[in-house]
Amino acid sequence: QVQLVESGGGLVRPGDSLTLSCAVSGITLDYYHIGWFRQAPGKKREGLSSLGTSDNSQYYADFVKGRFFISRDNAKNTVYLHLNSLKSEDSAVYFCGLNSRWGRSWPLRPFEATEYENWGQGTQVTVSS
């Protein structure tokens, strides 16, 4: 019954910004972790950011620090990923995943895709001139 739906992707130009949404239904985001990942054609799924909903703890991959930001709206049961200063190499399908096991503990590997048991369908981000 848990469902994650990503939205907000689209075609943008280099330097533009986007905000992606991950709407979660079937549960209330109280003691979970939501991770944002992306996957370009022919490449593995790479972790970008993760948020612990119990305490709003946030984790960022080194290569997106200062450029991508994660946030949440408790009333909407939604987690966002804010993409800034987009580059062509950011083009990918962006996914959100749910981890229900870490709870209030610190995740050892927040960017391991196998740690997340539920995924959305993804939203396409294309950065092109």
Side-chain angles (χ1 to χ4, degrees), residues 13-69:
R13 288 173 170 79
D16 284 356
S17 298
L18 278 177
T19 295
L20 308 180
S21 299
C22 176
V24 181
S25 61
I27 59 169
T28 299
L29 294 177
D30 46 7
Y31 299 99
Y32 300 91
H33 286 76
I34 297 292
W36 279 100
F37 291 72
R38 70 184 182 189
Q39 188 166 22
K43 297 183 178 180
K44 66 178 182 180
R45 189 168 297 189
E46 60 180 354
L48 307 171
S49 183
S50 185
L51 182 145
T53 60
S54 64
D55 59 0
N56 204 40
S57 57
Q58 300 175 12
Y59 312 90
Y60 295 96
D62 288 340
F63 63 93
V64 304
K65 286 182 178 178
R67 194 161 64 93
F68 292 180
F69 301 91

Side-chain angles (χ1 to χ4, degrees), residues 8-11 18 20 39 41 90-94 122-127:
L11 175 63
L18 278 177
L20 308 180
Q39 188 166 22
D90 293 320
S91 297
V93 178
Y94 285 69
T123 185
Q124 176 71 51
V125 173
T126 302
V127 186

Side-chain angles (χ1 to χ4, degrees), residues 34-124:
I34 297 292
W36 279 100
F37 291 72
R38 70 184 182 189
Q39 188 166 22
K43 297 183 178 180
K44 66 178 182 180
R45 189 168 297 189
E46 60 180 354
L48 307 171
S49 183
S50 185
L51 182 145
T53 60
S54 64
D55 59 0
N56 204 40
S57 57
Q58 300 175 12
Y59 312 90
Y60 295 96
D62 288 340
F63 63 93
V64 304
K65 286 182 178 178
R67 194 161 64 93
F68 292 180
F69 301 91
I70 195 167
S71 68
R72 64 175 174 176
D73 186 328
N74 291 339
K76 296 182 178 180
N77 222 43
T78 298
V79 176
Y80 304 95
L81 185 67
H82 310 274
L83 314 177
N84 299 306
S85 301
L86 284 164
K87 311 169 184 177
S88 60
E89 52 263 43
D90 293 320
S91 297
V93 178
Y94 285 69
F95 299 89
C96 61
L98 172 73
N99 176 286
S100 63
R101 303 179 184 90
W102 293 329
R104 286 182 269 186
S105 65
W106 289 88
L108 297 178
R109 300 184 182 93
F111 308 122
E112 285 286 342
T114 55
E115 297 281 2
Y116 298 82
E117 65 263 33
N118 295 96
W119 295 91
Q121 83 289 346
T123 185
Q124 176 71 51

